[in-house]
Amino acid sequence: MLLIGRNIQIRNFKTTDINQFLELVQDKNNHDLAGLEYTQDVDFGRDLLDMYERRDSAYAVALKDDDTMIGIIELNKRGESEELLATREIGFVIDHRFRKKGYAKEAIKLLIKHGFDNLKLTEVWASTEVNNLAPQKLLETLDFEYVYEADQTLPYTGQHNPVKYYLLRNDSHLVRNS
């Protein structure tokens, strides 16, 4: 895949992304706020990049001018049942050095346009950690509507993970004005 925007591009992962990828997965804040895998183990980080390279719904966010990977964006299936085939869940993380520059917003808009125009999606969902206010605000500026909060408790761990779910429908303002 290759989607080109004004400042960024969404593309498939490359093995040459390893250094930038390791910076993302070695930042515990990315795990805590966005659910990205966390590791300090370089070999495991290489295995993670290999896994992302093979995923058909995960992409690198890279700067348009020099192809430097600055983040990850995904458009994951929500299930295989008939009523879920035309829906996806978007997820994203941008390296802390590149935040607050509009790159996440541009990447989300590009991927949503691709989803609605080419994949013929009817809905795109997004979830955020309850305390992660920046992506919540971003989603709302992109016409996502807050729908509900849920606790994604992991079985047998006792860990609670409250998240907020947002929804964007194909007939939204964003799609009409892209």
Side-chain angles (χ1 to χ4, degrees), residues 66-158:
D66 66 8
D67 198 36
T68 300
M69 181 188 144
I70 62 168
I72 298 169
I73 193 163
E74 299 179 88
L75 196 58
N76 296 312
K77 290 182 179 179
R78 296 182 58 237
E80 295 296 329
S81 63
E82 186 67 33
E83 66 271 8
L84 294 178
L85 289 178
T87 71
R88 296 287 190 281
E89 184 169 345
I90 196 165
F92 57 94
V93 62
I94 300 293
D95 182 293
H96 67 90
R97 296 169 298 161
F98 297 94
R99 291 181 188 153
K100 297 184 180 181
K101 297 180 185 217
Y103 298 137
K105 185 176 188 176
E106 185 176 351
I108 293 166
K109 287 173 107 174
L110 280 171
L111 198 55
I112 286 172
K113 183 168 176 33
H114 168 73
F116 287 150
D117 292 351
N118 300 321
L119 302 177
K120 305 302 180 203
L121 299 180
T122 58
E123 297 178 341
V124 175
W125 288 83
S127 66
T128 71
E129 302 293 323
V130 168
N131 297 324
N132 197 358
L133 302 179
Q136 292 170 25
K137 184 176 179 182
L138 174 58
L139 291 169
E140 289 170 0
T141 67
L142 293 171
D143 294 330
F144 278 79
E145 295 177 28
Y146 170 75
V147 179
Y148 64 89
E149 185 175 318
D151 188 352
Q152 294 181 334
T153 301
L154 300 172
Y156 309 110
T157 66

Side-chain angles (χ1 to χ4, degrees), residues 30-43:
N30 290 334
H31 171 75
D32 294 342
L33 293 177
L36 183 66
E37 295 87 350
Y38 169 73
T39 186
Q40 291 294 318
D41 182 319
V42 172
D43 290 330

